[in-house]
């Protein structure tokens, strides 16, 4: 019988193609679980959304990455096999922290919907050095099983699962959320929590202008937190915090606002010139019924997209091009 709690998950068959395919936990699940979707976000974060219905014993052998796991739905039949008395307590909202280089065995029974965040060990070591200014082996993360963490659960459910992982603006938001979870894991569960984070002031005017110029010059390209952080010569986590302190909004919201402003300025030009300029800029790519303005346009213009006129622009020709739906300013 179909369980209605799994009704919200996508039904289409996802074809994996990314860095995440190198990870041990991913490769153990791909054999008997249904991969709903997955993605790489910058050079530090990969995620996967799974549905699994099985009666098996799964072993993750010496993974070279950390994994944060959230049970989105189900999971009450899963046990962590340790000695003669396996650990129980899985279920919706429960989290598992699986450190790198720790082999673990799991008894899987029944149905579960999982969200996994994978952190390569090299990215983790960079975060340790940048956050604590110590050698990476000075910080250890313990295994934790079937625990509750409201920050992890709310971030995944509210700030990651609802997003379109292919849309540039949403990809940047995913990167930002992933960096937040990695920093939370380091701050809350590492053995060096007492050290705290080195929090510096905001961005200098020179760095701020350099980042702004880069964003404006690349609005037609997918942008990630890591990419902007490299421009500022900062870690992604520190860059996100310092950017918000300086600008007053998160980096992905700033990029989204600049894209909307660019679209509006182009459309103000009117006539063929404005549309020709739009064709040269990949401002918003979308499907026919749900585009990024549906979620974001209200907060910047005070208008609901369906109440406004739109221009449909085909980039690359009517047969082979991509369709962009851009709202037109009220006149």
């Amino acid at each position: 019988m179909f369980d209605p709690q799994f009704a919200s998950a996508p039904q289409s068959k996802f074809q994996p193609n990314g860095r995440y395919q190198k990870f041990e936990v991913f490769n153990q699940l791909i054999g008997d679980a249904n991969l709903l979707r997955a993605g790489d976000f910058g050079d530090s974060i990969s995620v996967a959304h799974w549905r699994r219905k099985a009666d098996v014993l799964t072993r993750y052998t010496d993974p070279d990455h950390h994994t944060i796991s959230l049970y989105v739905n189900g999971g009450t039949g899963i046990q962590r096999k340790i000695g003669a008395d396996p650990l129980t307590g899985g279920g919706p909202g429960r989290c598992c922290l699986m450190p790198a280089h720790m082999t673990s065995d799991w008894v899987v029974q029944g149905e579960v919907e999982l969200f996994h965040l994978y952190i390569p060990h090299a990215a983790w070591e960079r975060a340790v050095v940048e956050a604590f200014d110590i050698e990476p082996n000075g910080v250890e993360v313990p295994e934790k099983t079937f625990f509750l963490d409201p920050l992890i659960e709310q971030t995944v459910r509210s700030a990651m699962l609802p997003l379109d992982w292919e849309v540039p603006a949403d990809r940047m938001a995913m990167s930002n959320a992933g960096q937040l979870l990695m920093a939370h894991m380091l701050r809350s569960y590492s053995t060096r929590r007492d050290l705290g984070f080195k929090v510096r002031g905001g961005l200098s005017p020179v760095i701020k202008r350099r980042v702004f110029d880069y964003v404006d010059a690349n609005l037609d390209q997918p942008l990630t937190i890591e990419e902007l952080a490299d421009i500022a010569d900062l870690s992604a986590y520190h860059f996100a915090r310092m950017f918000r302190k300086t600008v007053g909004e998160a980096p992905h919201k700033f990029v989204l606002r600049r894209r909307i402003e660019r679209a509006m300025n182009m459309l103000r030009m009117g006539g063929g010139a404005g549309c020709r300029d739009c064709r040269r800029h990949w401002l918003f790519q979308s499907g026919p019924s749900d585009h990024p303005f549906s979620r974001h346009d209200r907060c910047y213009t005070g208008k609901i997209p369906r109440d406004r006129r739109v221009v449909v622009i085909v980039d690359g020709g009517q047969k082979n091009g991509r369709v962009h739906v851009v709202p037109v300013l009220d006149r």
Side-chain angles (χ1 to χ4, degrees), residues 223-297:
L223 293 171
T224 66
I225 292 289
E226 288 85 359
E227 190 176 351
L228 299 184
D230 285 343
I231 299 299
D233 196 24
L234 295 166
S235 71
Y237 176 74
H238 282 117
F239 171 76
R241 297 185 71 184
M242 295 167 71
F243 187 95
R244 181 187 287 273
K245 183 173 182 179
T246 301
V247 181
E249 61 185 342
H252 70 277
K253 290 188 176 180
F254 171 79
V255 172
L256 174 65
R257 179 167 58 81
R258 289 296 298 129
R259 284 181 169 136
I260 291 175
E261 291 170 353
R262 175 72 62 83
M264 290 178 173
N265 287 336
M266 288 179 178
L267 292 166
R268 281 194 185 100
M269 295 171 61
C275 289
R276 283 194 299 272
D277 286 342
C278 283
R279 289 192 186 100
R280 294 198 298 268
H281 291 269
W282 181 21
L283 295 175
F284 302 97
Q285 182 179 349
S286 66
S289 61
D290 180 26
H291 57 83
F293 277 104
S294 298
R295 294 189 302 276
H296 304 297
D297 190 56

Side-chain angles (χ1 to χ4, degrees), residues 66 68 97 119 124 127-132 139-142 144 147 149-152 155 176-199 237-238 240-241:
H66 299 294
I68 299 175
L97 193 57
I119 304 170
W124 174 260
V128 170
V129 172
E130 292 165 348
F132 293 153
V139 170
E140 293 183 353
V141 176
K144 289 182 68 66
F147 65 100
D149 187 311
L151 188 147
I152 293 176
T155 300
N176 196 34
Q179 291 292 334
L180 170 67
L181 290 181
M182 181 166 64
H184 174 62
M185 175 178 165
L186 181 57
R187 182 175 58 245
S188 300
Y189 298 112
S190 74
T191 57
R192 301 297 301 270
R193 283 179 295 173
D194 57 306
L195 295 180
F197 279 84
K198 294 182 177 180
V199 180
Y237 176 74
H238 282 117
R241 297 185 71 184

Side-chain angles (χ1 to χ4, degrees), residues 1-308:
M1 181 179 295
F2 177 71
D3 190 337
Q5 68 178 335
F6 295 93
S8 61
Q11 300 296 319
S12 59
K13 182 66 175 178
F14 179 84
Q15 297 298 323
N17 181 24
R19 182 181 64 232
Y20 48 81
Q21 292 176 279
K22 300 178 181 179
F23 296 141
E24 164 70 7
V25 173
F26 180 94
N27 286 322
Q28 289 301 320
L29 286 177
I30 197 67
D32 59 40
N34 179 19
L35 178 62
L36 302 176
R37 53 180 175 157
D40 299 318
F41 303 96
D43 61 358
S44 303
I45 299 298
S46 299
V47 304
H49 186 191
W50 300 94
R51 180 186 293 156
R52 193 182 197 192
K53 186 175 184 180
D55 186 359
V56 296
L57 174 64
T58 297
R59 167 169 287 186
Y60 302 129
T61 304
D62 191 29
D64 63 353
H65 58 91
H66 299 294
T67 301
I68 299 175
S69 175
L70 173 71
Y71 288 33
V72 180
N73 285 308
T76 55
I78 296 179
Q79 301 175 351
R80 169 70 168 94
K81 189 177 179 182
I82 301 180
D85 298 318
L87 296 178
T88 61
R94 294 288 172 168
C95 302
C96 294
L97 193 57
M98 296 181 282
H101 306 302
M102 178 175 288
T103 298
S104 59
D105 294 312
W106 301 81
V107 178
V108 180
Q109 295 177 321
E111 192 168 9
V112 64
E113 182 184 346
L114 293 167
F115 176 90
H116 279 175
L117 185 142
Y118 307 121
I119 304 170
H121 196 58
W124 174 260
E125 289 184 335
R126 287 199 307 271
V128 170
V129 172
E130 292 165 348
F132 293 153
D133 196 21
I134 61 175
E135 289 298 317
N137 58 11
V139 170
E140 293 183 353
V141 176
E143 180 185 24
K144 289 182 68 66
T145 306
F146 304 142
F147 65 100
L148 293 173
D149 187 311
L151 188 147
I152 293 176
E153 181 177 12
Q154 290 304 313
T155 300
V156 171
R157 290 188 187 275
S158 302
M160 302 181 85
L161 284 177
L163 300 182
D164 184 336
W165 298 354
E166 300 300 323
V167 171
D170 285 1
R171 288 184 58 80
M172 191 169 190
M174 285 290 294
S175 179
N176 196 34
Q179 291 292 334
L180 170 67
L181 290 181
M182 181 166 64
H184 174 62
M185 175 178 165
L186 181 57
R187 182 175 58 245
S188 300
Y189 298 112
S190 74
T191 57
R192 301 297 301 270
R193 283 179 295 173
D194 57 306
L195 295 180
F197 279 84
K198 294 182 177 180
V199 180
R200 289 172 277 181
L203 301 174
S204 70
V206 173
I207 297 298
K208 175 184 171 183
R209 174 46 52 195
R210 186 186 305 164
V211 172
F212 280 19
D213 289 346
Y214 184 84
V215 169
D216 286 342
N218 292 276
L219 288 175
D220 58 334
Q221 301 295 325
L223 293 171
T224 66
I225 292 289
E226 288 85 359
E227 190 176 351
L228 299 184
D230 285 343
I231 299 299
D233 196 24
L234 295 166
S235 71
Y237 176 74
H238 282 117
F239 171 76
R241 297 185 71 184
M242 295 167 71
F243 187 95
R244 181 187 287 273
K245 183 173 182 179
T246 301
V247 181
E249 61 185 342
H252 70 277
K253 290 188 176 180
F254 171 79
V255 172
L256 174 65
R257 179 167 58 81
R258 289 296 298 129
R259 284 181 169 136
I260 291 175
E261 291 170 353
R262 175 72 62 83
M264 290 178 173
N265 287 336
M266 288 179 178
L267 292 166
R268 281 194 185 100
M269 295 171 61
C275 289
R276 283 194 299 272
D277 286 342
C278 283
R279 289 192 186 100
R280 294 198 298 268
H281 291 269
W282 181 21
L283 295 175
F284 302 97
Q285 182 179 349
S286 66
S289 61
D290 180 26
H291 57 83
F293 277 104
S294 298
R295 294 189 302 276
H296 304 297
D297 190 56
R298 176 193 290 271
C299 64
Y300 291 108
T301 67
K303 293 287 187 179
I304 300 174
R306 70 172 62 95
D307 292 337
R308 306 172 70 194

